[in-house]
Amino acid sequence: MTSTVILQAAGGSSMLSTLVPMVLIMVVFYFFMIRPQVKKAKDHKKLVADLKKGDKIVTTAGIHGKIVDMNELTFLIEVEGGTKIRFDKSAISLDATKATTELPKA
């Protein structure tokens, strides 16, 4: 009878020793994968919300231009030569107006 109790106790600790590494893997996965992506998406949403007419921007395709018109889904961007291109708001990568004014002076 005592050997049955010992075996049951050993089985319980085996389950616990399997569960702890799985929980640790999930915690590490959250802090190194999920949390940074959520923060990046939140920062991009704030960047796009703060843009206004006249701001210089860079798109994800690398096109530099100035915002001349905007609506709730798109920006109309003027590139060199007076050409105007309409881009989805999600295609904005960088606010070049703020990026150039925030560069450290050497």
Side-chain angles (χ1 to χ4, degrees), residues 28-85:
V28 167
F29 186 76
Y30 172 77
F31 280 105
F32 286 107
M33 299 291 285
I34 297 171
R35 189 168 175 238
Q37 288 297 321
V38 170
K39 184 180 183 311
K40 185 177 179 182
K42 188 172 142 183
D43 290 344
H44 184 263
K45 191 173 183 177
K46 184 180 181 317
L47 166 86
V48 171
D50 290 345
L51 290 173
K52 58 191 177 306
K53 288 182 184 180
D55 283 348
K56 294 179 180 177
I57 53 107
V58 179
T59 67
T60 54
I63 298 172
H64 295 245
K66 182 173 71 169
I67 298 173
V68 292
D69 189 27
M70 54 197 299
N71 62 32
E72 66 182 54
L73 298 175
T74 62
F75 288 118
L76 185 63
I77 300 168
E78 183 178 0
V79 294
E80 195 168 328
T83 305
K84 295 179 182 174
I85 306 171

Side-chain angles (χ1 to χ4, degrees), residues 10-30:
S13 69
S14 173
M15 188 172 99
L16 183 64
S17 66
T18 304
L19 188 62
V20 170
M22 292 299 288
V23 170
L24 288 174
I25 288 170
M26 285 187 247
V27 168
V28 167
F29 186 76
Y30 172 77

